[in-house]
Amino acid sequence: MCPLAFPDEPSEPALADAHQLEAISLERDLISLTTATLDKSQEELAVNESVSKEIWLDFEDFCVCFHHIYIFHKPNSYCLNFQKSEFKFMEERVPYYLFVDSLKPIELLVCFSALVRWGESGALTKESPPVEPGLLTAEAITWKSLKPLSVVLRIHTYATKASMVRLPVGRHMLLFNAYSPVGHAIHVCSMTTFVIGDEDVVLPNFEPESYRFTEQSVMIMKAIGNVIANFKDRGKLPAALRDLQAAHYPIPLNNKELTLQHFRVFHISLWRLMKKSQVAKPPLNFKFAFRAMVLDTDLLDSFSEDASLAEWVDLKYSMPVNEKEYSPEEIAAAVKIQSMWKGNYVRLLMKARTPETKENISVADTLQKIWAVLEMNLEQYALSLLRLMFKSKCKSMESYPCYQDEETKLAFADHTVNYTDQPPNSWFIVFRETFLVPQDIILLPKVYTTLQICMLHVINNDTLEQVPKVFQKVVPYLYSKNKKGYTFVAEAYTGDSFVSGSRWKLRLIGSYNPLPFLARDTPCSTFTIKEIRDYYIPNDKKILFRYSIKVTMAQSITIQVRTSKPDAFIKLQVLESEEIIMSTVGKGQALIPAFYFLGNEKALSSQSSKQVLLTHTLPKKEPEVLTKKKAGQPGQKSFKGRTGGGMTETGMPLLEEEVMSVPTIEENSSTPQQCYKYIIQCLVLFNSWPLNETQLTFVQALKDMEKIDIKAHVEKHEEPAPMGSPDSHAVSEGQKSVGMPKTTRKGKERSAEKEKSAREKQTPRFEPQQMQVPTAAHSQQEDPNKPYWTLRLVSEHTDSEYVDVKKDTERADEIRAMKQAWETTEPGRAIKASQARLKYLTQFIKKPPETSAPATSPEALSVTQSQIKSSEEGEQAGGTGKDADTKELPPTAAGSMLWKKWQLTKTLSVLSKATSSESSPKEEPPRKEIPVVVQSRSPTILETSPQQIRKALEFLDFNHYVRKTADEAVLQTDELSKHQAMQKAEEIHQFRQYRARILSIRDIDQEERVKLKDEVLDMYGEMRDSVDEARQKIFDIREEYRNKLLEAERLRMEALAAQEAAVKLEAEKKTAASDPQKKKKGGKKK
């Protein structure tokens, strides 16, 4: 029993906080208090038996006398009750989904109890922190929007509160969110059937049609049956037709064109339903009987059987017109014949519509046969009829009351995969599949997993654009039908804790079936990660790295880059023939969820060095200039002509500019092939990765060792292995570190089989060896202060062998090949150039006057020449390798190689000092080799060759890991194909109706916005006029007051002028009177 408190003043009950009811106590205290109150009231009634039981009061007196009314609800008096308790210390809100559907107004009594303290330690004191109350909110939601439709309930309490939630007629989806510091209990009572629980329990209830939709459809179908039953009755047929019109046209639209369109949609839907219900051969006069019932002669002639209702509504579908031109006489004759035939046909229809005629009896019998089939499954056919009308996207459908229930109608499909145990601080791909969208549909993908960090990305394979997200979650979005589908990629990060294997589920929620389906039978859950790590070496072009990738089999690959500096802004790009195909920007990391690489017909590694040289030689063109031009124009790319991105077939022809041209036409014609040149490039943006002094010193050491390495390879007349090749990086496959074998290209041509066997025989290197050297490069895990980056390429486990990734050293290879060609054409050219350069430099060296310059020894000269040669090549390779990033040194290079480089650097510095010294030349002391101590270690599975691994896995049984969609295969017959085609056409009609509804809603919203804009403009215009009037009144009053003041001032000035004039006049009179007297006195003196 829950006491309910009302406010002092009567008010209209609302959905939110109007009926929040204060609880007096828990159940035991509540029952005892209620019993005592009842006993006391019975005693008072026994004493006052003589008093009348009926007392009338005025409503005003009643409100004055009684401040509160306590209403007690018995949960046992309600048909349906739901109770749920949660006792756990959590800060997250607990969600409860609720489904309710009714043809009457809905009332839900919700009681919420919150436990905010536990034990004496939680007692409230003056010094104790404030305790937050329990909170329960209920929102009316729809899966198509992230924003709730409305808030219907909000309860704050430290103990217990209850409230009555009142909902209108129809189907509703509510989301309850309960929060309490310690625990809570929720109790829901209602006389209406409802379902409450988690999402898996509630969602299936929204798939069937709502009660209002079912009631409306059955009403229409019964009205049709009443018309057919009374078709021969002259008195009842008009009333039956009026009832049918009231059933399918309940609200007048006051729009002639829309009304006509509504009736046509109803008639076409009814015709298709009747035709579909006739499994056997329909009667001969089936079409005539239908026309007689609806009395529409042009209905079935102007509308094609193959066209959908949506097409007829949107495009005003009409029959195709013959292109043949007719003479005026032929047109007049045809019109006369048609008019005569139509007149005769209309007279026949009117006779068939008139009861007690021969034609009427025949038509009535035919309609009775059709109705007998429909009546056997009345509700199903009724739902089909109304759903066909809704698919037409006619705006008149919005007038139905059941149209509001379409917001909560949904269909969903789950796709589940399993992931294995993952170590701490690891990144991996959980799910990556392509879904094909049969029709335009609003879709909401949701992820259910125990992983704390898991993000879903959806990419349109046609446009390579990502579906928008809000707070790293994919929002409801209109997925349009395309050719290559949409790729769903889920990435996860384990954090600092170990993650055990579990199940991951993706749920697709849409309006209707069919939902997007997988491009293959079962999703793949096994992926291979190829990981490349290297140090960051700044350069002028801000290029972090450039890698070329070649695949022998077309496949989709996920690309992820992570930097050691978490706040560095980077831009990851995929280039095809130096054209930006796809790019993304990230902070600390960047991800391209899926990119479809087209495979080459023949692996590039199996070609000879000559063929590679000819392929990469571009005479009279500078690759850097081409790179700038193509990479600087990303806005000019076109996805229609691109063949690398998205899901395409491998046999699709390439554009001319994407095919690598070979100068020797004869050799190319003998072995025709298509070669796709993909580059993975990463840039540092906004100078967001500055290095400190220690890191700059380390990077400079890497640059010096790189130049020495280039010199060492040149002296051996062997092409140096690229710094970004797999032999100098840590590569991990399947979330484990697996080394890639070292490969070197020889001058002679080798076959692909010999190269593969050589790779399997060589021992992989995946970590630096432990050596006693003064300077050694450590891995990123040992020294995280070094600037490094990590590149990960994720492919499916079965396709990982067909991916070849290596450092892009095309520019350095071209320069090296050019030098080799010069040396071949003119032997000794390099030595002559070095001598000429040395001779030129010696002109600027001042010789000491005391002693003559010593002759340079041949050994020193050779060393100096080799040093100059190496420095020149290093400068050229470094200058051109800013694009290709050839100056980088992998962190996992072997310690022995580093020791040799360090010794070589020291020796060269000593020799250079000896050459340029002013003293006489001295003999170079003999060089001592320092022994290198290598710690031996036992072989691990990471060093095992792939052949041994495959041999060990041959005897494993994987049958229990394989799932099948069906036990037996089904033959694709013509009948099955037709059935599938009919289903697909039906689904097409279904989803086009939804598009019309969205467009109509947009039009209504636009009209409302225009009206609101006009109202605002009118309001502001009135405000402006009223302000002008008020201002004018103030101005008039001010002007009147000003005029009064001016008049008073004028009068005052006139009075002053008159006074002054009077005073002046008196002064003049006095002066005039005094002058004669003075004259008289003057005369007497004489």
Side-chain angles (χ1 to χ4, degrees):
M1 298 175 64
C2 302
L4 307 180
F6 289 89
D8 296 339
E9 297 181 359
S11 59
E12 185 69 18
L15 291 178
D17 300 326
H19 289 275
Q20 294 186 359
L21 311 171
E22 183 68 30
I24 296 178
S25 179
L26 298 176
E27 289 190 359
R28 294 181 181 177
D29 299 335
L30 186 59
I31 294 173
S32 62
L33 182 61
T34 307
T35 307
T37 306
L38 293 175
D39 294 340
K40 187 176 180 180
S41 62
Q42 290 177 1
E43 292 176 0
E44 293 176 355
L45 289 174
V47 174
N48 301 324
E49 290 181 354
S50 60
V51 181
S52 177
K53 294 182 178 180
E54 294 183 358
I55 299 175
W56 291 88
L57 290 175
D58 291 336
F59 190 74
E60 296 179 356
D61 298 337
F62 180 81
C63 295
V64 172
C65 295
F66 301 97
H67 296 282
H68 297 83
I69 298 178
Y70 294 94
I71 301 176
F72 295 85
H73 292 264
K74 289 184 178 181
N76 296 333
S77 63
Y78 289 91
C79 299
L80 298 172
N81 287 271
F82 171 81
Q83 295 184 13
K84 180 72 178 201
S85 300
E86 289 283 347
F87 294 97
K88 56 179 70 175
F89 293 88
M90 60 170 55
E91 297 182 357
E92 297 180 356
R93 296 185 178 183
V94 180
Y96 300 95
Y97 290 87
L98 184 139
F99 160 82
V100 61
D101 191 4
S102 177
L103 298 175
K104 297 180 179 180
I106 303 166
E107 289 187 354
L108 298 172
L109 178 63
V110 182
C111 180
F112 177 66
S113 301
L115 184 60
V116 297
R117 298 188 300 273
W118 183 260
E120 296 297 332
S121 61
L124 291 176
T125 61
K126 294 182 179 180
E127 299 179 355
S128 62
V131 179
E132 296 183 1
L135 174 65
L136 177 68
T137 60
E139 300 171 341
I141 62 172
T142 175
W143 64 269
K144 299 177 183 178
S145 174
L146 297 179
K147 183 180 179 181
L149 300 178
S150 61
V151 179
V152 298
L153 177 67
R154 183 181 288 108
I155 294 177
H156 292 268
T157 181
Y158 288 96
T160 302
K161 274 188 181 181
S163 178
M164 184 69 72
V165 178
R166 290 181 173 88
L167 300 173
V169 179
R171 181 169 60 184
H172 304 276
M173 178 189 295
L174 299 183
L175 174 61
F176 289 85
N177 287 313
Y179 166 75
S180 182
V182 180
H184 70 272
I186 184 172
H187 191 178
V188 183
C189 309
S190 179
M191 301 297 291
T192 307
T193 303
F194 66 91
V195 179
I196 187 172
D198 57 2
E199 191 174 357
D200 294 334
V201 176
V202 177
L203 278 189
N205 296 278
F206 291 96
E207 288 189 306
E209 303 291 352
S210 63
Y211 289 164
R212 287 197 293 180
F213 189 92
T214 305
E215 182 188 34
Q216 185 73 34
S217 62
V218 172
M219 185 189 302
I220 296 174
M221 186 58 69
K222 287 183 178 180
I224 294 172
N226 189 24
V227 170
I228 294 175
N230 299 316
F231 200 75
K232 294 187 292 184
D233 194 338
R234 185 184 297 272
K236 296 182 179 180
L237 181 59
L241 290 173
R242 287 194 296 270
D243 294 341
L244 176 60
Q245 180 176 342
H248 76 84
Y249 186 63
I251 301 176
L253 301 176
N254 299 325
N255 188 336
K256 185 176 180 181
E257 183 179 357
L258 188 59
T259 301
L260 180 61
Q261 185 179 359
H262 173 84
F263 276 86
R264 297 293 297 273
V265 167
F266 171 69
H267 293 160
I268 293 173
S269 302
L270 181 60
W271 164 253
R272 288 192 169 183
L273 178 67
M274 288 183 172
K275 187 175 181 181
K276 187 178 180 180
S277 64
Q278 301 300 314
V279 180
K281 186 177 180 180
L284 296 177
N285 59 342
F286 177 42
K287 185 179 292 188
F288 180 78
F290 177 79
R291 284 176 171 170
M293 185 180 70
V294 300
L295 204 62
D296 192 347
T297 57
D298 300 332
L299 176 65
L300 304 180
D301 294 336
S302 61
F303 187 81
S304 176
E305 297 291 338
D306 299 332
S308 64
L309 289 173
E311 292 177 350
W312 183 81
V313 172
D314 293 342
L315 306 177
K316 305 297 182 183
Y317 185 89
S318 59
M319 295 296 292
V321 181
N322 195 352
E323 296 180 357
K324 182 180 178 181
E325 295 181 359
Y326 297 94
S327 61
E329 293 80 6
E330 293 176 342
I331 294 175
V335 169
K336 187 174 182 180
I337 293 173
Q338 290 174 3
S339 61
M340 294 177 64
W341 181 89
K342 186 175 182 180
N344 188 20
Y345 193 78
V346 169
R347 286 190 289 272
L348 287 176
L349 289 179
M350 296 302 297
K351 287 183 180 179
R353 187 71 175 268
T354 305
E356 300 178 358
T357 60
K358 182 179 178 181
E359 291 82 0
N360 180 264
I361 295 173
S362 176
V363 169
D365 294 340
T366 302
L367 294 177
Q368 287 290 343
K369 293 178 183 179
I370 299 172
W371 177 251
V373 177
L374 297 176
E375 193 176 12
M376 290 188 296
N377 198 352
L378 180 65
E379 184 174 346
Q380 182 179 357
Y381 283 118
L383 294 175
S384 300
L385 174 62
L386 191 56
R387 182 53 60 190
L388 280 173
M389 295 173 63
F390 272 52
K391 289 179 182 178
S392 65
K393 303 178 183 180
C394 183
K395 292 184 178 181
S396 62
M397 299 298 109
E398 299 177 6
S399 62
Y400 285 98
C402 59
Y403 185 79
Q404 300 175 1
D405 297 337
E406 294 297 305
E407 288 292 334
T408 56
K409 182 175 176 57
L410 57 84
F412 67 95
D414 294 337
H415 303 274
T416 307
V417 295
N418 297 325
Y419 58 88
T420 57
D421 300 342
Q422 302 295 332
N425 299 319
S426 63
W427 175 90
F428 63 101
I429 293 293
V430 185
F431 181 85
R432 189 180 68 193
E433 288 297 331
T434 301
F435 286 82
L436 302 178
V437 180
Q439 297 236 9
D440 295 352
I441 181 174
I442 296 180
L443 194 70
L444 172 63
K446 298 185 69 175
V447 173
Y448 300 86
T449 180
T450 57
L451 295 168
Q452 295 183 356
I453 303 176
C454 184
M455 289 183 291
L456 180 67
H457 306 271
V458 183
I459 303 94
N460 187 341
N461 294 330
D462 285 4
T463 61
L464 299 181
E465 296 178 353
Q466 288 198 34
V467 174
K469 294 184 291 184
V470 175
F471 299 118
Q472 303 301 329
K473 291 185 179 180
V474 182
V475 299
Y477 182 73
L478 178 61
Y479 291 75
S480 58
K481 183 180 179 181
N482 58 3
K483 296 180 180 180
K484 304 171 187 177
Y486 294 80
T487 300
F488 289 68
V489 181
E491 60 166 333
Y493 187 73
T494 57
D496 297 333
S497 60
F498 179 83
V499 176
S500 58
S502 182
R503 179 173 294 181
W504 184 91
K505 182 171 68 175
L506 172 65
R507 174 169 291 172
L508 301 180
I509 303 176
S511 299
Y512 306 103
N513 286 314
L515 295 171
F517 55 90
L518 288 171
R520 52 185 173 185
D521 296 336
T522 56
C524 176
S525 60
T526 306
F527 300 94
T528 300
I529 297 181
K530 293 191 175 183
E531 188 175 282
I532 301 175
R533 298 182 182 180
D534 203 345
Y535 290 113
Y536 167 54
I537 300 179
N539 53 78
D540 297 336
K541 295 186 178 180
K542 310 300 180 183
I543 296 178
L544 187 62
F545 61 79
R546 276 177 63 98
Y547 278 87
S548 65
I549 178 172
K550 293 182 177 62
V551 294
T552 55
M553 178 181 293
Q555 58 182 295
S556 180
I557 296 178
T558 301
I559 308 171
Q560 195 250 6
V561 176
R562 193 180 188 91
T563 60
S564 60
K565 185 177 176 58
D567 56 349
F569 288 93
I570 57 176
K571 184 175 184 179
L572 181 61
Q573 299 174 335
V574 176
L575 310 178
E576 180 184 353
S577 299
E578 298 300 332
E579 180 184 357
I580 300 176
I581 303 302
M582 194 172 186
S583 65
T584 181
V585 178
K587 183 179 180 181
Q589 65 175 359
L591 175 72
I592 293 180
F595 187 85
Y596 196 75
F597 291 91
L598 295 178
N600 299 317
E601 296 179 359
K602 187 176 182 181
L604 190 62
S605 59
S606 63
Q607 300 176 359
S608 62
S609 60
K610 292 183 179 180
Q611 198 169 1
V612 173
L613 179 62
L614 291 174
T615 304
H616 289 287
T617 301
L618 295 175
K620 298 182 182 180
K621 287 187 180 181
E622 188 69 18
E624 292 183 0
V625 178
L626 295 176
T627 304
K628 292 180 181 178
K629 289 182 179 180
K630 294 184 178 180
Q633 300 174 356
Q636 297 179 1
K637 62 182 180 180
S638 174
F639 292 106
K640 296 181 179 180
R642 202 196 65 78
T643 61
M647 300 297 174
T648 57
E649 298 180 358
T650 57
M652 186 175 290
L654 289 172
L655 296 177
E656 293 181 358
E657 60 183 17
E658 295 175 346
V659 181
M660 297 181 65
S661 60
V662 179
T664 54
I665 302 176
E666 298 178 358
E667 295 181 3
N668 190 26
S669 61
S670 61
T671 57
Q673 65 172 0
Q674 290 181 344
C675 185
Y676 302 95
K677 181 182 177 183
Y678 295 108
I679 299 294
I680 301 175
Q681 178 176 278
C682 189
L683 306 174
V684 179
L685 303 179
F686 316 125
N687 293 325
S688 58
W689 199 343
L691 302 181
N692 54 32
E693 295 181 0
T694 306
Q695 293 174 346
L696 289 174
T697 305
F698 177 75
V699 168
Q700 187 61 36
L702 291 179
K703 293 180 180 179
D704 297 338
M705 286 187 285
E706 180 184 358
K707 293 179 181 180
I708 298 169
D709 186 41
I710 294 175
K711 174 188 174 298
H713 284 289
V714 170
E715 289 180 351
K716 295 179 181 178
H717 302 285
E718 184 178 2
E719 184 178 356
M723 303 307 295
S725 60
D727 65 324
S728 60
H729 295 279
V731 180
S732 84
E733 298 188 1
Q735 292 83 41
K736 293 183 179 180
S737 179
V738 178
M740 296 293 291
K742 182 179 179 181
T743 58
T744 57
R745 290 188 294 181
K746 306 295 182 179
K748 298 181 180 180
E749 187 175 6
R750 295 187 303 177
S751 63
E753 296 179 357
K754 291 182 180 181
E755 186 178 357
K756 186 177 180 181
S757 61
R759 288 180 177 179
E760 293 177 353
K761 289 180 182 180
Q762 293 176 353
T763 304
R765 300 187 306 175
F766 61 95
E767 62 181 4
Q769 300 177 359
Q770 299 178 0
M771 291 195 168
Q772 300 175 356
V773 291
T775 57
H778 301 278
S779 62
Q780 291 85 347
Q781 291 81 0
E782 295 176 359
D783 194 355
N785 295 325
K786 298 293 189 297
Y788 68 91
W789 50 262
T790 305
L791 170 64
R792 296 184 180 94
L793 303 175
V794 184
S795 58
E796 294 187 6
H797 184 67
T798 55
D799 299 336
S800 60
E801 298 179 357
Y802 305 102
V803 181
D804 182 21
V805 184
K806 61 181 180 179
K807 200 70 168 282
D808 182 27
T809 58
E810 181 180 357
R811 177 60 178 167
D813 293 343
E814 290 178 357
I815 295 174
R816 193 175 298 110
M818 191 182 301
K819 289 185 178 181
Q820 290 180 1
W822 289 345
E823 191 69 21
T824 304
T825 306
E826 186 179 352
R829 178 188 176 111
I831 298 175
K832 294 179 182 178
S834 301
Q835 291 176 353
R837 184 165 183 263
L838 183 61
K839 182 179 179 181
Y840 175 76
L841 293 175
T842 53
Q843 296 177 2
F844 300 94
I845 299 176
K846 296 181 180 180
K847 298 182 180 181
E850 300 173 356
T851 58
S852 60
T856 304
S857 61
E859 296 178 358
L861 183 59
S862 61
V863 171
T864 307
Q865 292 173 354
S866 61
Q867 183 181 2
I868 294 171
K869 181 179 178 181
S870 63
S871 62
E872 288 177 356
E873 293 179 354
E875 290 174 359
Q876 293 178 356
T880 58
K882 291 174 184 177
D883 274 348
D885 226 22
T886 59
K887 298 190 287 185
E888 299 175 2
L889 185 67
T892 57
S896 60
M897 181 60 69
L898 294 175
W899 173 246
K900 292 179 180 178
K901 292 176 180 178
W902 181 77
Q903 289 290 340
L904 188 56
T905 307
K906 188 175 181 181
T907 305
L908 289 173
S909 62
V910 173
L911 289 176
S912 60
K913 290 180 180 179
T915 305
S916 60
S917 176
E918 297 178 358
S919 61
S920 59
K922 300 180 181 179
E923 284 189 29
E924 182 181 356
R927 187 182 303 173
K928 296 182 180 180
E929 296 183 359
I930 300 177
V932 178
V933 181
V934 181
Q935 296 183 0
S936 62
R937 51 186 174 82
S938 59
T940 61
I941 190 172
L942 300 177
E943 299 177 357
T944 309
S945 63
Q947 288 184 350
Q948 296 178 358
I949 295 175
R950 292 194 193 96
K951 188 174 182 181
L953 296 177
E954 287 179 357
F955 302 99
L956 293 179
D957 186 14
F958 296 99
N959 292 329
H960 56 285
Y961 295 109
V962 179
R963 292 188 299 178
K964 296 182 179 179
T965 56
D967 297 335
E968 297 181 358
V970 180
L971 182 63
Q972 184 76 16
T973 60
D974 297 339
E975 203 173 304
L976 182 60
S977 301
K978 291 180 181 179
H979 181 67
Q980 292 177 351
M982 292 175 63
Q983 286 183 347
K984 189 170 291 186
E986 194 71 20
E987 293 161 0
I988 292 172
H989 305 333
Q990 186 177 2
F991 286 104
R992 281 180 175 167
Q993 177 267 340
Y994 181 73
R995 176 178 173 272
R997 183 165 61 87
I998 296 297
L999 293 177
S1000 63
I1001 292 173
R1002 290 178 180 176
D1003 294 339
I1004 294 173
D1005 293 342
Q1006 187 176 2
E1007 292 177 359
E1008 291 179 353
R1009 288 195 298 269
V1010 172
K1011 291 180 181 178
L1012 181 61
K1013 183 178 69 174
D1014 296 338
E1015 291 177 358
V1016 171
L1017 292 175
D1018 296 339
M1019 180 183 67
Y1020 279 103
E1022 294 175 358
M1023 292 173 61
R1024 182 190 59 194
D1025 297 340
S1026 62
V1027 170
D1028 292 341
E1029 292 178 359
R1031 186 188 297 111
Q1032 189 62 35
K1033 289 180 180 179
I1034 294 172
F1035 287 164
D1036 294 343
I1037 295 172
R1038 187 192 67 176
E1039 189 66 23
E1040 184 179 357
Y1041 180 72
R1042 178 174 173 273
N1043 292 334
K1044 288 181 180 180
L1045 294 178
L1046 292 175
E1047 184 67 20
E1049 183 67 18
R1050 186 180 62 80
L1051 295 175
R1052 189 179 67 84
M1053 294 300 294
E1054 289 179 354
L1056 290 175
Q1059 291 178 2
E1060 290 177 357
V1063 171
K1064 187 177 181 181
L1065 183 61
E1066 290 179 359
E1068 290 178 354
K1069 287 180 179 180
K1070 288 180 180 181
T1071 305
S1074 60
D1075 289 340
Q1077 293 179 1
K1078 289 180 180 180
K1079 290 180 179 181
K1080 290 178 180 181
K1081 289 180 179 181
K1084 290 179 179 183
K1085 287 181 180 180
K1086 295 180 178 179

